[in-house]
Amino acid sequence: MAWRNQKMSTWGCSFSFSPAGDLLRAEQQREGSEYSELIQTYIQEGKIVPMEVTIALLYKAMQESFENDGKTRFLVDGFPRKMDQALKFEEMVVESRLVLYFEAAEQTLQERLLKRGESSGRVDDNIESIKKRFQTFKETSFPVIQYYEEKGKVRKINAELSREEVYSAVRQILDSEL
């Protein structure tokens, strides 16, 4: 996360970056949160947190970014993950202009997640949760990619490349299309 934020801030762009997972984990840790236990259970089981919770957190983050920093363009990472989420987000918040789809082999992703788990402290960075997340992606998230692909909004990025090469590809897409 620090790498991503650092890259976005040094880019000097007018985007606000909202990683859905980070927002959920922050809410889970927030004292007095009504969603803390629910979020923890869903994340630990590799399931998708109910859309009402995630959309509310994303909307709040976007609203705060607009009010505090005047940002009107948003990069939302890790959302939507289900078709109903995509439709509800566009109905309640804003229509998506572009979808970045980072492609990598399952083995590569598993290795990266397990490596991250050595220091992340995340409850879902273990082999059981990772396998559940892969299955959830195939069953519920990939149809979202297909939906946006049919609308001509998906741009694929080879995530097998180095961080620098992936960043360069993202920047090229955003510079040329937004």
Side-chain angles (χ1 to χ4, degrees):
M1 168 68 175
W3 173 82
R4 293 181 293 186
N5 282 341
Q6 183 264 335
K7 286 286 191 179
M8 292 305 297
S9 64
T10 58
W11 186 2
C13 67
S14 60
F15 288 97
S16 176
F17 184 62
S18 298
D22 290 355
L23 293 173
L24 290 167
R25 281 184 289 282
E27 181 66 17
Q28 177 186 343
Q29 299 299 319
R30 190 176 63 80
E31 190 173 325
S33 169
E34 64 183 290
Y35 304 119
S36 182
E37 260 185 62
L38 178 134
I39 293 169
Q40 180 175 345
T41 300
Y42 275 80
I43 289 175
Q44 195 164 4
E45 293 179 4
K47 294 181 180 177
I48 296 173
V49 173
M51 71 175 154
E52 294 80 9
V53 174
T54 310
I55 289 173
L57 294 175
L58 283 168
Y59 181 77
K60 180 180 175 197
M62 293 167 81
Q63 188 174 31
E64 287 173 359
S65 182
F66 174 72
E67 290 171 0
N68 297 335
D69 304 321
K71 304 252 175 152
T72 59
R73 300 187 325 168
F74 305 92
L75 288 174
V76 178
D77 176 16
F79 188 87
R81 295 194 177 199
K82 293 172 63 177
M83 236 8 263
D84 62 341
Q85 292 178 340
L87 299 173
K88 185 59 82 174
F89 184 81
E90 290 194 343
E91 173 191 321
M92 297 185 72
V93 182
V94 66
E95 183 177 339
S96 300
R97 289 186 52 197
L98 185 68
V99 174
L100 300 176
Y101 177 47
F102 297 85
E103 293 184 300
E106 224 173 80
Q107 183 63 35
T108 300
L109 297 172
Q110 181 175 308
E111 290 170 8
R112 289 177 180 173
L113 291 168
L114 289 172
K115 182 71 175 163
R116 179 180 74 180
E118 294 173 6
S119 60
S120 71
R122 289 180 48 166
V123 298
D124 60 338
D125 280 344
N126 62 71
I127 194 67
E128 296 82 21
S129 291
I130 290 168
K131 287 181 179 181
K132 289 178 186 176
R133 286 161 54 198
F134 287 158
Q135 191 60 37
T136 298
F137 176 80
K138 289 175 191 171
E139 293 171 0
T140 62
S141 299
F142 193 69
V144 176
I145 299 299
Q146 293 171 317
Y147 168 78
Y148 284 113
E149 199 161 32
E150 289 171 9
K151 294 179 126 206
K153 294 183 177 187
V154 172
R155 303 299 176 269
K156 295 180 181 179
I157 297 167
N158 180 357
E160 296 279 348
L161 302 173
S162 70
R163 285 181 169 191
E164 292 74 19
E165 291 169 309
V166 170
Y167 170 75
S168 178
V170 169
R171 184 170 179 168
Q172 182 178 4
I173 290 168
L174 295 179
D175 284 345
S176 68
E177 301 208 26
L178 300 177

